[in-house]
Amino acid sequence: MHKIVEKKQLADTITLLKVEAPMVVREAKPGQFVIVRLDEFGERIPLTICDADRARGVLTLIIQQLGRSTKDLCALKAGDQIRDILGPLGNPTEIEKFGTVVIIGGGVGAAELYTAAKALKEKGNKVITIIGARNKSLIILEDEFKPIADEVLITTDDGSYGIKGFVTDALKKVISEQKVDRIICCGPIPMMKAVTTTAKPHNIPAIVSLNAILLDATGMCGSCRCTIEGKTKFSCVDGPEFDGYKVDFDELMARNKRFLDEERRALEV
Amino acid sequence: MATNKTPRQEIPARNPEERNKDFKEVSLGFTEEQAVLEAQRCIACKKKPCCNGCPVEIDIPEFIKLVAKKDYKGAIQKIKEKNNLPAICGRVCPQETQCESLCTLVAKGQPVAVGALERFVADREAEHPGSKEPPVIKEKKDIKVAVVGAGPAGLTAAADLARYGYKVTLFESLSASGGVLRYGIPEFRLPKAILDRETEYIKSLGVEIKYNILIGRTFSIADLFKDGYKAIFLGTGAGLPYFLGIPGENLNGVYSANEFLTRVNLMHAYEFPKYKTPVKIGERVAVVGAGNTAMDCVRVAKRLGAKDAMIIYRRSEAEAPARRAELEHAKEERIEFRFLTAPIKIEGNEKGEVKSMTCLKMELGEPDASGRRRPVPIKGSEYEMPVDTVIIAVGQGPNPLIAHTTKELAVDEKSGELKIDENCMTSIKGIFAGGDITTGEGTVIAAMGAGKKAAAAIDKFFKEK
C-alpha cells in the first residue's frame, strides 16, 4: 500500500498526487513511468514519474482525468492509499550535452518532461520549454519550469493565455531565431506528429514519448506495440521514447482507440 | 478389490453446453470412490517407470498405494516431499506425455490416471484442513537468497530453498503470484483459489513474497547483492510474445495470447465493468496456434460470447502440441478447428479494425528439424474469411529485461535464453537460473523440475563455500 501524502488540483481535470513509494523512487530517472493500480478491481494505469524525492521516498504523479480509472484516482484524498505501484519502468531519457534543447509538453504531457528538463539543464544545455494546451486553465507547471528553463513559451488553442495557436507555431518561431539541437516532445499523438513534421525540414532530432495502451508494462503482453521504422516495438520496454521520425503515428492513433466503447461503458457505472 | 481389469476411471467434467458460457472449473476431479478404484489399478511394478517421467521425482507408486489404502494424509505428505504445488500439477501437467506415458499398464490398455489422483489428494487435504501436517524445515541458516519471478520455477525453487533453511525472498513484478499459472491459465482450468492456496502453503514454509517489484528496473541484480542476498535464482520465464510477422498484425482486434489472457485472467476482464480492465471480443474469433495457450484463448473467446471461435493451425491435429484433454474439451465446447491452414494476411476496415484474414491451405511434407512433418502450402489455395478478432498464440521467448539490464549475463544470441552450467549457474557467480528463461517455452512441471534442481545446486554452492 502507498499512502498519498499530498494532493493538489492543478487544473479542472488535472490532479497532482504525492505518494509514498520508496522502492520506486530509489532508481527513478527522467522519462520513466510507473504502473498504478488503485485497488483490487483497478486497471493497470501507466503514469509518468513527474518527480522523485529520494530523501522522503515520495513520488510525484500528475494525472489527467480521461476515463473511469483516472477519475477514481483523481478522487482520492491525502491520507488515502493506493494499492500497487510498480516501477520505475521504461528506458530513461537520454541526458547529454546537446546544446539547445526544446522541450515541448502538450497538456498533461508537460509533467513527463519536468525531470528531464531539470537534468538537461544541469548537464549544461540551453533549455527552452514550450507548454501548450487548449486553454489557460489546462496549462500546468509553468511556475515549476520557469526557474529551470532559459525560456518558457506558452501557447493556447483559443488564445486565452500566451501565444494563440499550437506548440508548433511557437516551435517554428524558436527555430527561425536560433539553432536547435534537439527536441523532446510529449503530448497528444497528433501534436507529437505535428512537432516531428515541423522539425524534419530542419533535420533536428525529435524525440517523442509514446502514450500507447499498456497492460503489464514489463514486456510480456504486447498491448503497447507500435511500428518504429517498419518494425514492431513494445513501448513499455523498448520505449517509451522513440525517434519521432520513425514512428507510425497513424497506427498509434488507431490503436489508442481500441477500447473507446468500453471506456465509455466504464464511465457509466 | 479392483484389479487391472478395472477400466481407467473417467474424470467427470461439466456439461459442455453449460460450461462454455461461464468460467467455473470444467473438470470436476475424482470422487473418493473413483480415486480408490483408480489407485487400486496400479500394479506396483518394481521398476516404477512412471517416476522417470516426473521432473520433480514424486514417488508415484508409493503415493498411489496410500490412496488405495485410503490414507490420504499419508499420500499428500508423500507427494509434498517432492512437489510443493500438487493441486496445480494435478490440473495442468501434461501427464499423458510424462508419468502416464511410461506406466506399465500402457502396454495392457490404459495407464493409471496419475494426474487425477494427485489432484484428488491435494484437494482432499484442502477440504479437510485438520489433516494438514506442518512442513518439515531443516535447520535455519542465516543466509539470504533472492528468487526472481513467482511462476512455477520460482515458487518451487523458493519452497525448496526454504526447506533447506535459507531466508528466501521472492520478487514478483505482477500484483499476485503464479506467473503464467495466473495470467495465462484461465479460471475454468485452474481456479485462482487453488493458486492462492498453494501460494499460502509456500509462504507457510517461510518464504516472503514481495509483489510489484520488477528486478532489472525497481532493483538491479547488483542492488540485490548490495542488499545482502548471497545467491539469486532467476525464474523470469518466457514472457515475450511471438508474432507471425504477417501484414495487419497491429490492427485493432489482433491480440497476442498473453495480452488477451492477461486481460481476462489476471485482470478479470470477464467481470468488466466490476473489474475495470476491458477486453474486446468479436463475433468471429480466430486463434492462431494449437498449443495449450491457443486452446485456453479459444475457449475463453467462446465464453466471452464469440459466436464462432476457431483454431487456425498450419499442421494437422496429430502435431498439435496441446494436451489431448484440452483439445477434446475444446471440441466438446463447439470450437471449430481448421487444421493445415496458415494465415498470411490480416485486413482491416477504415478505422483500423480487423475485418478479415487470408489463409493458405497446407499439406504435410517431409519431417523437419522438430521431427514433425513440415507443412507445405498448396498453390492457389488462398482464401479470405471474415473475422473480427485474431489472437496470436504461437509461443513466446524468454523475457529479455534482466539480460538487457545485466550486461555480464551470458545469453544465447539466437534464442535469447540465459546460459547456465551443469549446476544451474549463469555466467555470474551466485546467480542461478531455470525454467523457460533458460530453455524457452516449456511445461509447468518442467519449470518446477528446473526450480528444484537449482535449489539443490544453490544449497550445494553454499555447502562447498
Side-chain angles (χ1 to χ4, degrees):
Chain A
M1 294 296 248
H2 302 267
K3 192 172 154 196
I4 297 173
V5 292
E6 195 182 322
K7 178 183 181 177
K8 217 158 63 181
Q9 203 64 35
L10 299 186
D12 271 357
T13 54
I14 302 175
T15 307
L16 177 149
L17 296 179
K18 290 195 177 186
V19 190
E20 283 174 357
M23 305 276 198
V24 176
V25 296
R26 192 164 108 159
E27 295 276 341
K29 294 181 184 72
Q32 291 191 298
F33 65 97
V34 292
I35 286 281
V36 168
R37 199 172 64 125
L38 181 53
D39 57 28
E40 189 200 335
F41 304 102
E43 278 186 274
R44 296 171 70 83
I45 312 166
L47 294 170
T48 295
I49 296 172
C50 179
D51 212 351
D53 181 341
R54 277 193 189 77
R56 288 170 63 212
V58 169
L59 179 70
T60 304
L61 302 170
I62 292 185
I63 306 134
Q64 179 165 35
Q65 274 183 45
L66 289 171
R68 176 84 243 173
S69 297
T70 43
K71 198 175 161 186
D72 291 347
L73 199 55
C74 290
L76 296 178
K77 300 178 293 292
D80 287 348
Q81 306 266 355
I82 291 174
R83 179 154 173 157
D84 302 323
I85 301 182
L86 166 69
L89 302 171
N91 297 304
T93 306
E94 201 185 332
I95 305 293
E96 291 295 330
K97 173 93 188 273
F98 297 109
T100 300
V101 182
V102 179
I103 287 186
I104 306 175
V108 77
E112 163 130 12
L113 302 173
Y114 175 66
T115 49
K118 259 203 293 195
L120 284 162
K121 184 68 204 171
E122 278 163 22
K123 266 270 172 198
N125 291 282
K126 179 178 179 188
V127 174
I128 299 171
T129 301
I130 303 172
I131 308 172
R134 286 200 309 279
N135 59 55
K136 187 183 176 183
S137 74
L138 294 170
I139 295 289
I140 59 165
L141 300 179
E142 184 187 355
D143 293 342
E144 283 77 2
F145 272 112
K146 271 189 176 154
I148 305 168
D150 296 270
E151 213 178 318
V152 177
L153 300 167
I154 309 285
T155 68
T156 51
D157 298 6
D158 65 356
S160 53
Y161 190 49
I163 306 161
K164 181 177 183 335
F166 301 121
V167 290
T168 43
D169 296 320
L171 176 63
K172 278 177 201 158
K173 189 172 164 281
V174 172
I175 293 172
S176 72
E177 288 166 357
Q178 58 192 303
K179 183 175 169 283
V180 172
D181 299 291
R182 196 175 183 85
I183 295 168
I184 304 177
C185 175
C186 180
I189 301 165
M191 191 200 94
M192 291 192 287
K193 187 182 175 184
V195 164
T196 55
T197 312
T198 306
K200 197 153 190 188
H202 307 276
N203 224 0
I204 306 164
I207 307 303
V208 294
S209 182
L210 301 189
N211 40 357
I213 295 180
L214 294 161
L215 183 60
D216 71 289
T218 64
M220 179 191 94
C221 82
S223 172
C224 65
R225 62 192 189 273
C226 45
T227 301
I228 309 295
E229 219 176 12
K231 290 194 191 86
T232 292
K233 298 276 178 191
F234 293 177
S235 174
C236 67
V237 289
D238 300 318
E241 292 180 354
F242 292 98
D243 175 349
Y245 297 164
K246 296 177 179 169
V247 176
D248 183 340
F249 286 107
D250 295 334
E251 180 190 273
L252 183 64
M253 264 182 262
R255 283 189 67 77
N256 270 22
K257 289 179 184 148
R258 282 197 289 156
F259 294 106
L260 270 189
D261 296 342
E262 288 72 15
E263 282 165 23
R264 278 189 208 112
R265 259 182 71 202
L267 269 176
E268 286 159 14
V269 182
Chain B
M1 172 88 187
T3 66
N4 59 21
K5 294 215 173 63
T6 314
R8 177 175 156 120
Q9 297 297 301
E10 283 272 339
I11 304 160
R14 290 171 59 219
N15 177 340
E17 290 303 324
E18 183 192 297
R19 74 185 192 228
N20 70 8
K21 293 172 188 66
D22 66 38
F23 280 80
K24 285 183 227 145
E25 197 168 9
V26 164
S27 172
L28 297 170
F30 279 160
T31 61
E32 184 180 355
E33 192 192 354
Q34 276 186 304
V36 174
L37 275 174
E38 186 63 27
Q40 288 171 348
R41 289 182 66 232
C42 176
I43 57 170
C45 53
K46 272 201 188 115
K47 280 189 177 163
K48 301 185 175 186
C50 51
C51 296
N52 299 328
C54 179
V56 299
E57 300 163 352
I58 297 174
D59 190 341
I60 295 166
E62 198 54 39
F63 103 75
I64 290 179
K65 195 172 25 173
L66 293 162
V67 178
K69 285 194 219 155
K70 299 192 180 181
D71 178 2
Y72 309 123
K73 188 173 162 180
I76 191 67
Q77 279 176 282
K78 183 50 72 184
I79 294 174
K80 282 188 172 174
E81 282 173 10
K82 295 290 183 181
N83 183 1
N84 299 299
L85 308 168
I88 293 169
C89 290
R91 284 170 167 82
V92 303
C93 264
Q95 290 96 4
E96 64 196 22
T97 57
Q98 296 188 314
C99 51
E100 293 181 17
S101 73
L102 300 173
C103 176
T104 303
L105 290 189
V106 170
K108 297 179 181 167
Q110 287 190 303
V112 174
V114 180
L117 286 172
E118 184 180 22
R119 171 182 164 160
F120 171 79
V121 287
D123 286 358
R124 201 169 190 292
E125 184 195 36
E127 286 154 17
H128 298 78
S131 69
K132 261 195 188 145
E133 281 285 309
V136 185
I137 311 261
K138 292 191 187 151
E139 196 188 336
K140 295 236 175 187
K141 302 175 177 73
D142 197 23
I143 301 176
K144 278 166 66 176
V145 180
V147 175
V148 182
L155 286 171
T156 303
D160 277 14
L161 285 164
R163 284 175 188 272
Y164 287 126
Y166 297 98
K167 283 188 185 163
V168 184
T169 309
L170 179 47
F171 295 96
E172 166 57 43
S173 68
L174 294 176
S175 49
S177 66
V180 69
L181 298 168
R182 184 167 312 253
Y183 72 74
I185 301 181
E187 181 79 13
F188 58 79
R189 212 150 67 74
L190 177 62
K192 308 281 175 289
I194 304 279
L195 194 47
D196 293 339
R197 189 172 92 201
E198 305 226 310
T199 304
E200 282 308 311
Y201 174 71
I202 285 173
K203 280 158 73 179
S204 78
L205 300 172
V207 174
E208 184 191 11
I209 308 184
K210 291 193 171 178
Y211 297 106
N212 296 300
I213 290 182
L214 180 63
I215 300 300
R217 288 281 188 217
T218 312
F219 303 144
S220 65
I221 292 291
D223 289 335
L224 289 176
F225 283 126
K226 245 184 270 164
D227 285 350
Y229 294 97
K230 301 291 181 211
I232 301 169
F233 173 76
L234 302 175
T236 50
L240 177 74
Y242 289 146
F243 289 91
L244 296 165
I246 61 172
E249 266 185 306
N250 288 351
L251 286 165
N252 292 350
V254 184
Y255 294 97
S256 74
N258 274 0
E259 178 182 1
F260 183 67
L261 292 174
T262 299
R263 285 183 179 276
V264 174
N265 298 330
L266 178 73
M267 303 310 292
H268 292 253
Y270 63 99
E271 295 181 74
F272 179 84
K274 180 185 167 198
Y275 285 80
K276 305 293 187 295
T277 304
V279 69
K280 204 174 215 145
I281 190 84
E283 297 217 319
R284 279 174 61 79
V285 180
V287 177
V288 183
N292 289 322
T293 305
M295 297 308 137
D296 287 341
C297 288
V298 79
R299 295 168 74 195
V300 165
K302 187 80 189 169
R303 282 161 172 78
L304 290 176
K307 275 200 189 117
D308 302 299
M310 62 189 115
I311 287 283
I312 308 284
Y313 182 49
R314 64 194 181 116
R315 301 179 195 253
S316 77
E317 180 167 357
E319 289 85 26
R323 289 173 70 195
R324 289 299 111 177
E326 307 308 331
L327 254 165
E328 292 311 320
H329 277 159
K331 282 183 185 168
E332 290 165 14
E333 290 168 10
R334 294 177 187 259
I335 301 302
E336 186 189 327
F337 284 81
R338 292 193 188 195
F339 292 110
L340 291 166
T341 303
I344 53 170
K345 190 166 63 171
I346 304 165
E347 294 91 7
N349 62 18
E350 66 292 339
K351 286 187 195 157
E353 295 160 347
V354 173
K355 65 167 197 206
S356 69
M357 187 159 85
T358 302
C359 295
L360 262 183
K361 288 194 179 154
M362 313 293 273
E363 59 191 351
L364 290 180
E366 294 301 307
D368 62 14
S370 74
R372 301 177 298 179
R373 291 179 65 195
R374 197 165 58 92
V376 184
I378 301 173
K379 265 192 189 147
S381 65
E382 211 171 299
Y383 70 100
E384 191 180 332
M385 61 168 173
V387 289
D388 38 28
T389 305
V390 177
I391 302 167
I392 312 289
V394 294
Q396 42 221 336
N399 192 315
L401 184 72
I402 287 182
H404 277 182
T405 53
T406 316
K407 297 289 176 223
E408 307 79 25
L409 271 179
V411 171
D412 182 282
E413 270 179 41
K414 215 171 141 203
S415 65
E417 291 152 14
L418 293 186
K419 287 187 186 167
I420 50 171
D421 65 14
E422 66 282 1
N423 292 317
C424 311
M425 188 138 61
T426 64
S427 56
I428 302 178
K429 199 177 167 200
I431 302 184
F432 298 76
D436 289 2
I437 187 70
T438 59
T439 58
E441 201 182 0
T443 58
V444 168
I445 190 74
M448 289 176 56
K452 205 165 189 66
K453 197 174 154 206
I458 292 169
D459 188 46
K460 192 171 143 226
F461 169 75
F462 285 118
K463 284 199 174 123
E464 284 172 2
K465 244 183 168 182

